[in-house]
Amino acid sequence: MHTPSSMLMGVVFAPLGLVLMFTAAITPQWREGQARLGAAGRGRATELLLLRSDGLWESCLQVVHSEVKECWPVSGSYQRDARVRMVQGMVLSSLFLCGAGIVLASVGVRCWTDIPLRSVAAAGGLLVALAGLLSLAALGVYTRHLSKLGIEVDSTISETQGLKVHKPPRLTLHPAGSLYFGWVGAWVQVLGGAALLFGFKSMKCSFCHKQRLKDSAEMYEVNC
């Protein structure tokens, strides 16, 4: 059986998109921002530069140019924001659909045989493509409302270091690395699903054609 290049692209892109999207989902760098924090410690005033980053399930706060960093599960107004919860649900659904689509596509391609299950492979490609579209929708919602999602200043590190906070830091948030990983992974999912969905339409089974010719020849000899 000759395997078309479009199907090979789908077989490669679908798992790659799943890995990229999963990486984006579990890392806490969907958005980040820096803020200067005026504090008093050891009898003198100091100013710290803080880096705040948020993911879907974890947030982190780090003192820039130091090893002081603390992460915690998302909480407060950010966790309660309906848009954050919606994005979480959409991303989880996308990962489930993509995984199910890859399993179906693997069964449909059947590289160990000469006759593929085209409808099963196409169904797998459809699920992967839908997963990619769902990921794009989730990323679009998060990106659109990135600076408006609930923010709650966490003073855990300040308390741990014995610092007295004079005023809450003002954050200017912008997209971070995990969000870019997600965008790349979502488009790779869409391309991989489309390749699997349409890759079998132009496929010709040479084995099937030869088998039909052989059957016709046998029937002709018997009739004679």
Side-chain angles (χ1 to χ4, degrees):
M1 181 185 70
H2 175 67
T3 304
S5 58
S6 59
M7 191 214 40
L8 291 177
M9 183 179 71
V11 171
V12 174
F13 276 22
L16 178 60
L18 178 62
V19 171
L20 289 173
M21 199 62 212
F22 179 76
T23 302
I26 64 175
T27 50
Q29 284 90 32
W30 281 57
R31 66 177 187 178
E32 64 182 13
Q34 291 185 349
R36 295 190 178 277
L37 178 67
R42 296 182 181 179
R44 63 176 181 174
T46 59
E47 187 178 63
L48 299 177
L49 182 60
L50 303 180
L51 177 64
R52 168 71 181 264
S53 60
D54 293 312
L56 292 183
W57 286 276
E58 190 178 39
S59 297
C60 293
L61 190 64
Q62 179 180 7
V63 179
V64 179
H65 305 308
S66 76
E67 297 181 356
V68 179
K69 182 177 181 180
E70 185 170 335
C71 297
W72 62 93
V74 292
S75 59
S77 56
Y78 180 77
Q79 181 191 29
R80 294 190 298 267
D81 196 300
R83 292 163 296 190
V84 174
R85 292 189 175 187
M86 180 176 65
V87 172
Q88 289 174 338
M90 295 171 72
V91 169
L92 288 177
S93 300
S94 169
L95 293 174
F96 174 79
L97 284 177
C98 189
I102 291 173
V103 172
L104 282 178
S106 300
V107 174
V109 171
R110 298 206 309 174
C111 298
W112 60 90
T113 68
D114 291 315
I115 304 176
L117 299 175
R118 303 185 183 187
S119 59
V120 176
L126 179 61
L127 288 181
V128 174
L130 289 176
L133 294 176
L134 192 58
S135 297
L136 289 174
L139 292 161
V141 171
Y142 193 96
T143 303
R144 179 180 176 84
H145 303 286
L146 184 144
S147 61
K148 301 176 183 178
L149 299 175
I151 302 174
E152 185 179 66
V153 177
D154 193 284
S155 59
T156 304
I157 290 185
S158 298
E159 295 174 355
T160 303
Q161 299 298 320
L163 302 174
K164 182 180 178 181
V165 179
H166 293 302
K167 59 181 180 178
R170 299 179 60 184
L171 292 173
T172 301
L173 297 168
H174 55 83
S178 299
L179 197 63
Y180 297 123
F181 263 95
W183 281 109
V184 174
W187 280 113
V188 170
Q189 284 179 332
V190 172
L191 292 176
L196 287 170
L197 181 59
F198 300 108
F200 282 96
K201 286 191 174 182
S202 59
M203 182 179 291
K204 295 181 180 180
C205 182
S206 58
F207 174 80
C208 301
H209 180 65
K210 292 178 180 179
Q211 186 66 31
R212 285 195 296 267
L213 290 178
K214 181 179 178 181
D215 294 341
S216 299
E218 291 177 352
M219 289 179 61
Y220 177 77
E221 292 176 357
V222 171
N223 292 333
C224 291

